[in-house]
Amino acid sequence: MFEAPELTPLDYPNADPAAFVISSPDYPFVLHLLVENMTCPGCIQHIERALNGRPGGVKARLSLSTKRLTISWKDSGVTALDLVTLLGDLGYRVMPFKAEVVEQLSDSQGKTLLKAMGVAGFAWANVMLLSVSVWAGAASDMDAATRDLFHWISALIALPAVAYAGQPFFVSAYQALVGRRLNMDVPISLAVLLAVVVSVWQTSISGPHAYFDAALMLLFFLLVGRFLDYRCRSRASTAAENLVALQSLSATVIDPDGSTKAVASDALQPGMVVRVLPGDRIPADGIIKFGHSDIDKSILTGESAAEAAQPGDVIFAGSLVLTGLLEIRVEKSHTDTFLSHVVDLMESAEQNRSKYVRLADRLTDYYAPAVHIAATLTFLGWWISGGPWDGAVMKAIAVLIITCPCALGLAVPAVQIVASGRLLKAGALLKSGDALERLSSVDTLVFDKTGTLTMGAPKIMKTHDIDSPDLALAASLAATSRHPLARALTEYAGVVSPAKNVQESPGLGLVMQTAGGEVRLGSRLWCGVPQTVAPSDEAVAVSELWLRKPKGEKVPFYFQDHIRKDADVVVEWAKSQGYGVILLSGDRSEAVRSAAETVGIDDWYAGQSPEDKIRFVRDLQAQGHKVAMVGDGLNDAPALAAADVSLSPSTATDISQNAADIVYFGGKLSTVLEIISAARIANRRVRENFSLALVYNVIALPLAVAGLVTPLIAAVAMSGSSLVVTANALRGFSRKEI
């Protein structure tokens, strides 16, 4: 078994991270780092702001779920060491990204918080015993010497406990200050340290008041809140981390001489042959060369049923081999697998800013300075008005704690993470962070027919005799296209070589120039077949392709596709929820009408070119409608890009998937229904969280400034607000709520 090399934080400038720089199709230089000490969404904003827009076309993206920072740049003058040094100057510790390290780091963070919580709780309980004695003695006849003795014993317990248990906050605050910024842990650390300093001073002058118990209680409740928050966020980000963890670490490579050797999965290259045993996961995308097996693709498709696999089948990394041994020829490197792209898209989706995230970012920008100003004014106000200075300090401490913007920072990311993880389990992938927000506001659903409402696997109909030369010529052109009808024609023809010099016009068809003239394969319009030429009676309600040969002869091919079983359920649900449902298709009117009547769509349009579809979508938008487009074909791509939000099945063409905001897997159209439901609930959750965070702060700040809140109550309230926001995000996404 391959063991991952031990990784340590890059000790810049002694370590050169250039060895970890790779290239991608879009950027010649890409560096994946793990940010060890990011603590909150504010860290994402701070890091990305520092890197994005730097000379050299630097672009940075940091994931809250996996803590992976992806830095891409184009100028060779920019070095990885420069970028890592910049991160170090900002106070962040980074290391090369490895999936297994994410889990180790998460476990380590949980253990650290748990130990700190135990120490703070134990010390708090013991100091409270002494404090109760002092409080009881104050009401009777305890002398000052005994009280001072109890205070000094409390100090001996509290000081080392605070020094140990407060480290999660102190270290984070120190790193933030070194980086000349403020984060949520700065006011927390300031509050704890001020409480301890005031207590030591009171004890040293034989004062009547010490606040060691308050400082320890404050730490304990803060740690409880931080630990529970860690647990909740770990649960929320499990989907993304699970995907990362599903990337196999090692693979068994079969050399040309038949010998085998174990290599790291990230060392696999196209052309290698790997052996996968039952119970193992596929290490890279490839084609089965030998063996039969049942494959569990549930993590990629959401479908729990195993699928049979045989030689020639395409197979994806992360799939689980259930039965027989397989030998697979690797087609894509480890970083280019479908699973890697899914993880990248998930992380990318997290970082896209919805309007709520942008609003939260702006608020938190001003929040930290405002909190410190409010605490200072509270201290000055109570002190100048004649109160004791230590009492004024304690009120300022309460202000620092109670106004910590943890809940505000978590309000939107928590919902996004939960929603994206939930949808991933259902077989849908968000490519844009604000896709759900936009989807929640649409009022019109526009569907494509072939491959969307239908299975996208049409079969050729033998309604007439087809000459072999015509079939071979048509199939050679069809072999250059991914259109469902073209693929069906190629499959029917059997083994065929793709023709050369073929060009495809989206929504129309294919054309090839030959010495004898032009050959076309496509729609009636494309091949110049009059609409008056009727198909055979059997083929009235089916799809067709026409072949026009160089001398003008025209040959029809008829295909029949099947409507998805759940298409009518989705349409009925959408109409019951008040959505306008429209069918746009480039197919013939008879075929489109038949499909529309089958699923219950009253508003349908046939013979739509890509230009017609995009014009139709824009006309709807001009009328004030919010449009969601669902399509899969090359001819749908412009309309997908023009719609307010767009969805494509995973079987769609690459260009359509790139244009879509959401890609769904599996053969069920009902996944679209699940996505819409989740979007509406997620939008509601975001607004609820935002309201909870704002209401909490509006109420808590005046109470703290007025001196009505002790530091202990402030700690409980602040931790509670974060937990309420996170718990609200974790609530079920049941459609019953709609």
Side-chain angles (χ1 to χ4, degrees):
M1 177 67 74
F2 170 76
E3 294 185 359
E6 183 178 354
L7 298 172
T8 58
L10 292 174
D11 184 17
Y12 73 93
N14 297 322
D16 187 356
F20 301 96
V21 176
I22 59 176
S23 62
S24 73
D26 298 324
Y27 287 89
F29 308 102
V30 179
L31 179 62
H32 295 287
L33 297 172
L34 177 63
V35 182
E36 183 185 359
N37 57 336
M38 65 170 288
T39 57
C40 63
C43 296
I44 298 176
Q45 185 183 5
H46 186 239
I47 290 175
E48 291 185 351
R49 278 184 180 176
L51 292 172
N52 285 329
R54 289 180 61 82
V58 176
K59 180 181 178 182
R61 191 182 72 227
L62 177 56
S63 167
L64 180 65
S65 300
T66 61
K67 297 186 177 181
R68 175 156 71 168
L69 171 63
T70 301
I71 311 175
S72 310
W73 68 97
K74 297 182 178 179
D75 189 349
S76 59
V78 178
T79 68
L81 184 59
D82 292 338
L83 300 173
V84 171
T85 301
L86 172 63
L87 292 170
D89 292 340
L90 294 175
Y92 294 102
R93 291 169 57 82
V94 297
M95 66 178 71
F97 183 86
K98 281 290 182 182
E100 61 270 28
V101 179
V102 176
E103 187 174 357
Q104 294 172 5
L105 195 61
S106 179
D107 291 343
S108 174
Q109 182 186 3
K111 291 176 182 176
T112 300
L113 288 173
L114 202 57
K115 289 178 183 176
M117 188 170 61
V119 169
F122 180 78
W124 169 46
N126 284 276
V127 171
M128 277 300 294
L129 292 175
L130 298 169
S131 296
V132 169
S133 300
V134 172
W135 299 338
S140 56
D141 56 352
M142 178 181 286
D143 56 51
T146 305
R147 182 193 63 206
D148 292 344
L149 175 63
F150 280 16
H151 281 171
W152 280 117
I153 295 174
S154 298
L156 290 174
I157 298 173
L159 291 177
V162 168
Y164 177 80
Q167 287 185 28
F169 307 102
F170 300 156
V171 172
S172 173
Y174 171 75
Q175 291 170 339
L177 294 175
V178 168
R180 298 179 181 180
R181 61 189 175 88
L182 295 174
N183 67 5
M184 300 176 185
D185 291 331
V186 172
I188 290 174
S189 301
L190 189 59
V192 172
L193 293 176
L194 280 175
V196 171
V197 169
V198 170
S199 300
V200 171
W201 183 82
Q202 281 281 336
T203 302
S204 66
I205 63 171
S206 190
H209 302 294
Y211 305 100
F212 296 114
D213 51 355
L216 286 169
M217 281 190 287
L218 174 60
L219 263 186
F220 177 72
F221 280 106
L222 287 170
L223 286 165
V224 170
R226 183 64 61 91
F227 180 76
L228 293 177
D229 176 57
Y230 152 78
R231 293 291 299 171
C232 291
R233 289 170 63 178
S234 296
R235 175 183 165 188
S237 62
T238 295
E241 291 181 0
N242 281 349
L243 277 182
V244 174
L246 284 176
Q247 299 182 82
S248 177
L249 297 178
S250 63
T252 301
V253 174
I254 305 175
D255 287 331
D257 61 1
S259 62
T260 61
K261 62 183 179 183
V263 302
S265 294
D266 53 11
L268 291 175
Q269 295 297 324
M272 289 182 170
V273 178
V274 297
R275 177 174 295 164
V276 185
L277 300 175
D280 290 343
R281 292 196 178 275
I282 306 296
D285 292 358
I287 297 176
I288 297 176
K289 185 179 178 184
F290 171 80
H292 294 73
S293 178
D294 293 317
I295 304 296
D296 180 356
K297 300 180 180 178
S298 58
I299 191 64
L300 301 175
T301 65
E303 298 286 349
S304 57
E307 295 182 16
Q310 59 185 0
D313 287 352
V314 176
I315 199 163
F316 297 104
S319 301
L320 181 64
V321 178
L322 298 177
T323 52
L325 176 149
L326 293 178
E327 292 182 2
I328 300 168
R329 185 177 71 245
V330 176
E331 294 292 319
K332 293 183 178 178
S333 63
H334 187 70
T335 56
D336 196 31
T337 63
F338 179 76
L339 186 59
S340 296
H341 288 309
V342 169
V343 174
D344 288 344
L345 288 172
M346 282 191 66
E347 294 177 352
S348 175
E350 279 184 23
Q351 301 315 306
N352 288 327
R353 300 288 196 259
S354 69
K355 66 179 182 181
Y356 291 116
V357 174
R358 292 192 293 270
L359 178 58
D361 287 347
R362 286 197 295 271
L363 289 176
T364 50
D365 276 350
Y366 299 106
Y367 213 88
V371 165
H372 289 84
I373 292 172
T376 303
L377 293 177
T378 301
F379 168 75
L380 292 175
W382 282 92
W383 189 33
I384 293 173
S385 64
W389 74 270
D390 51 347
V393 168
M394 297 308 291
K395 291 179 173 58
I397 291 172
V399 172
L400 286 173
I401 298 168
I402 208 165
T403 52
C404 183
C406 294
L408 193 61
L410 287 171
V412 184
V415 174
Q416 285 186 330
I417 292 173
V418 172
S420 59
R422 191 263 187 204
L423 285 177
L424 187 65
K425 289 181 180 177
L429 174 65
L430 300 179
K431 292 178 56 188
S432 172
D434 61 350
L436 290 182
E437 180 183 314
R438 286 183 278 132
L439 185 57
S440 67
S441 64
V442 302
D443 58 15
T444 304
L445 303 179
V446 178
F447 289 95
D448 170 51
K449 183 179 74 68
T450 306
T452 304
L453 289 182
T454 68
M455 298 294 291
K459 301 293 183 184
I460 197 165
M461 295 178 63
K462 299 179 181 177
T463 57
H464 60 287
D465 294 332
I466 303 175
D467 293 338
S468 296
D470 293 340
L471 177 61
L473 177 60
S476 65
L477 271 74
T480 65
S481 173
R482 291 189 60 187
H483 191 281
L485 298 184
R487 285 185 291 184
L489 184 57
T490 306
E491 182 180 348
Y492 178 78
V495 179
V496 61
S497 299
K500 297 181 179 178
N501 302 321
V502 178
Q503 294 182 336
E504 182 169 3
S505 295
L508 295 174
L510 305 160
V511 60
M512 177 180 66
Q513 301 296 336
T514 68
E518 189 178 77
V519 180
R520 290 193 172 205
L521 179 69
S523 65
R524 286 178 174 238
L525 177 64
W526 183 244
C527 295
V529 179
Q531 296 296 329
T532 54
V533 177
S536 65
D537 292 341
E538 298 175 81
V540 167
V542 299
S543 303
E544 64 180 16
L545 280 180
W546 285 83
L547 172 69
R548 192 182 76 181
K549 297 191 285 188
K551 294 183 179 180
E553 305 97 319
K554 301 176 181 65
V555 180
F557 299 91
Y558 299 112
F559 304 83
Q560 188 165 32
D561 199 358
H562 296 285
I563 299 292
R564 295 184 188 275
K565 293 181 179 178
D566 53 358
D568 56 340
V569 176
V570 173
V571 172
E572 182 182 0
W573 178 87
K575 292 167 71 174
S576 70
Q577 294 295 314
Y579 290 101
V581 182
I582 299 171
L583 173 59
L584 291 183
S585 175
D587 212 341
R588 294 181 307 113
S589 60
E590 292 84 357
V592 179
R593 181 177 58 205
S594 175
E597 290 175 352
T598 301
V599 300
I601 297 178
D602 303 319
D603 201 2
W604 57 269
Y605 300 86
Q608 297 289 298
S609 67
E611 292 78 11
D612 294 334
K613 289 186 177 182
I614 193 172
R615 189 182 304 115
F616 192 94
V617 169
R618 286 176 175 168
D619 286 346
L620 285 173
Q621 292 171 325
Q623 296 168 23
H625 293 286
K626 297 289 186 182
V627 181
M629 176 74 194
V630 188
D632 72 322
L634 184 63
N635 57 333
D636 297 319
L640 289 169
D644 294 284
V645 63
S646 51
L647 304 91
S648 276
S650 59
T651 53
T653 59
D654 291 342
I655 192 170
S656 294
Q657 290 192 41
N658 289 334
D661 298 296
I662 303 170
V663 176
Y664 59 94
F665 305 92
K668 297 180 179 177
L669 189 64
S670 58
T671 305
V672 173
L673 186 153
E674 298 290 336
I675 297 169
I676 295 173
S677 302
R680 295 171 63 172
I681 297 173
N683 191 55
R684 186 182 306 163
R685 293 280 187 275
V686 167
R687 284 183 291 173
E688 291 170 353
N689 276 357
F690 233 57
S691 300
L692 287 170
L694 291 176
V695 167
Y696 160 77
N697 284 284
V698 167
I699 295 175
L701 181 59
L703 292 177
V705 172
L708 301 176
V709 177
T710 66
L712 172 61
I713 296 176
V716 174
M718 189 275 287
S719 300
S721 66
S722 298
L723 292 176
V724 167
V725 165
T726 305
N728 189 53
L730 287 171
R731 283 201 294 151
F733 273 56
S734 171
R735 271 191 278 138
K736 295 179 180 178
E737 294 185 47
I738 298 176

